[in-house]
Amino acid sequence: MLDKLQAVANRYEELCAKSEQPDFYNDPKQAAKLLREKNDLEPIVEAFHSYNAALRDMEEALELMSEPDMKEFCQETYQQAKENSEDLYRQLQILLLPKDPNDEKSVIVEIRGGVGGEESALFAHSLFRMYSMYAAQKGWSIELMTYNDTELGGVKEADFVIRGRGAWSRMKYESGVHRVQRVPETESGGRVHTSTATVAVLPEMEEVDVQLNPADIEMQVYRASGAGGQHVNKTSSAVRLIHKPSGIVVACQEERSQVQNREKCMRLLASKLYEIEQERLESEVTGMRRSQVGTGMRNERIRTYNFPQGRVTDHRVGLTLYKIDAIMDGAIDEIIDALATADQAEKLKNAT
């Protein structure tokens, strides 16, 4: 690992030297690419330098330990430097793990009501609100693609983009079946009902990231439903795209312009095709196919939101938090941090 770290440090120094050259910005695209690489390497190099400094402190403390009047002080210095070096070594192991190439991308989120009728639709709306508030806390923006609501304020389906740097690195852990246990407003007997909603999260891909053949795509236009006034009712602005080879169907109706809706549909289609290709490659390598949301049945849950007990449990890492109100208001970082840590631990285990 130390040889690899030294190679990273050498590359970083090379990039620093290049960025100081007068002609560095003559090619803006190449300059931006090299600066991104430099920024990615910087935390690794800083941790490596700190690790080497801790090793030097250990060596110096050992050398001075032979002097009687310095022994106690040097033992403390040695122990502190040893602990620092061990912590930094673990950090470096994580920093050297292969990076998800999509981590900096925006994401497309799809929420669907699952088991539980109208209550599942109301829960789907609660999840949409939770992610919207989380995005706002992160300084990300929300861009609606499709939003079909119910008469009682629930959501049959909501497709939206969370646009912001690093959105995929956090939101990718949210894919799966979310289960809610609560007393519906329509329940006169006070009984707790169990319902589900499914969440799928995809990294947003541009057409340039995925090869799309126009001949494979059938476009249909129709009048948008829902709120929007006379414009929505009179104009065929909504767009549906059918990818004939895969059978994937995507739709968007939130924009007033047919052109804008088609553009959003193309990005969604590219993201779905990318996900299919990634699953195919993963299946070839591991013999296992990843499934994001399953059928929406209650026993496929990744997380349970229990309102009577005020708790949220993520079943993948066994984490239970008794702060359901804060979580439903978008405070989900503690859960995501635990999932990211478990993911890193699994990758470290497989790397050794």
Side-chain angles (χ1 to χ4, degrees):
M1 188 176 93
L2 294 179
D3 289 341
K4 190 172 183 180
L5 285 166
Q6 189 56 57
V8 169
N10 293 342
R11 175 59 176 167
Y12 178 75
E13 293 301 324
E14 179 188 337
L15 291 169
C16 287
K18 279 186 178 179
S19 66
E20 293 171 0
Q21 296 300 312
D23 60 348
F24 179 72
Y25 291 98
N26 287 354
D27 184 344
K29 284 188 179 178
Q30 180 67 6
K33 180 182 175 183
L34 294 177
L35 286 173
R36 277 196 301 271
E37 183 185 356
K38 175 176 168 286
N39 290 338
D40 287 342
L41 297 181
E42 189 168 355
I44 302 174
V45 173
E46 286 179 354
F48 183 44
H49 288 163
S50 297
Y51 174 72
N52 286 332
L55 293 181
R56 286 194 298 272
D57 290 344
M58 287 171 63
E59 289 176 9
E60 290 172 5
L62 277 174
E63 288 175 7
L64 293 170
M65 229 179 268
S66 57
E67 299 179 22
D69 58 335
M70 295 286 288
K71 187 173 182 181
E72 187 176 343
F73 172 76
C74 288
Q75 281 178 333
E76 290 179 9
T77 302
Y78 176 85
Q79 188 59 37
Q80 184 61 56
K82 185 173 182 290
E83 290 174 7
N84 288 344
S85 69
E86 289 170 353
D87 288 343
L88 287 162
Y89 189 83
R90 283 191 290 269
Q91 285 180 37
L92 286 165
Q93 283 182 306
I94 292 170
L95 287 168
L96 283 177
L97 288 172
K99 210 176 167 189
D100 187 333
N102 296 318
D103 269 352
E104 296 303 306
K105 288 185 180 288
S106 298
V107 296
I108 294 171
V109 183
E110 300 176 334
I111 300 175
R112 302 285 183 273
V115 174
E118 182 61 37
E119 175 61 15
S120 73
L122 290 168
F123 179 49
H125 175 268
S126 296
L127 291 176
F128 174 72
R129 177 182 176 274
M130 180 180 78
Y131 292 133
S132 298
M133 295 182 78
Y134 180 63
Q137 292 168 19
K138 292 289 184 185
W140 300 335
S141 62
I142 293 279
E143 181 183 331
L144 271 180
M145 301 181 77
T146 303
Y147 189 90
N148 291 328
D149 53 5
T150 65
E151 289 183 3
L152 296 181
V155 174
K156 293 178 183 175
E157 57 180 1
D159 301 337
F160 53 99
V161 180
I162 297 181
R163 202 171 296 289
R165 186 174 179 184
W168 171 254
S169 71
R170 305 296 289 172
M171 289 295 298
K172 62 185 173 183
Y173 301 108
E174 291 304 297
S175 292
V177 176
H178 296 242
R179 181 177 74 165
V180 64
Q181 295 171 323
R182 63 184 176 187
V183 179
E185 293 179 13
T186 53
E187 171 58 55
S188 57
R191 289 179 304 153
V192 175
H193 286 227
T194 298
S195 306
T196 66
T198 64
V199 177
V201 184
L202 309 170
E204 186 188 30
M205 294 291 164
E206 300 291 339
E207 292 178 54
V208 293
D209 297 320
V210 179
Q211 295 298 318
L212 288 175
N213 184 350
D216 292 338
I217 301 169
E218 177 186 340
M219 185 174 94
Q220 300 174 351
V221 296
Y222 58 99
R223 292 180 182 179
S225 60
Q230 294 182 344
H231 171 87
V232 170
N233 296 327
K234 292 184 177 179
T235 308
S236 295
S237 59
V239 171
R240 181 185 296 114
L241 297 182
I242 302 169
H243 186 251
K244 290 181 276 189
S246 65
I248 291 174
V249 179
V250 296
C252 183
Q253 64 176 32
E254 294 303 313
E255 300 294 338
R256 290 179 174 270
S257 158
Q258 188 183 111
V259 173
Q260 290 174 310
N261 280 325
R262 182 187 180 281
E263 185 182 322
K264 283 188 176 182
C265 275
M266 290 296 284
R267 292 204 306 271
L268 177 55
L269 179 58
S271 297
K272 284 181 174 286
L273 290 173
Y274 174 84
E275 186 74 1
I276 287 173
E277 179 62 12
Q278 289 301 106
E279 287 179 350
R280 186 187 68 78
L281 293 173
E282 209 170 279
S283 178
E284 288 179 1
V285 174
T286 65
M288 293 164 55
R289 187 178 183 279
R290 196 159 42 95
S291 177
Q292 281 203 333
V293 297
T295 62
M297 297 305 291
R298 294 184 182 97
N299 61 353
E300 296 175 330
R301 66 192 182 276
I302 62 165
R303 192 177 299 155
T304 295
Y305 305 74
N306 186 302
F307 279 81
Q309 297 178 17
R311 65 172 170 84
V312 175
T313 299
D314 195 288
H315 305 287
R316 293 164 293 180
V317 288
L319 174 68
T320 296
L321 299 174
Y322 289 88
K323 47 171 88 171
I324 195 165
D325 290 340
I327 287 168
M328 298 314 294
D329 284 344
I332 59 175
D333 264 332
E334 190 172 350
I335 299 173
I336 291 174
D337 286 342
L339 291 164
T341 300
D343 187 30
Q344 289 172 345
E346 184 66 24
K347 286 176 180 173
L348 277 173
K349 185 173 141 189
N350 293 334
T352 54

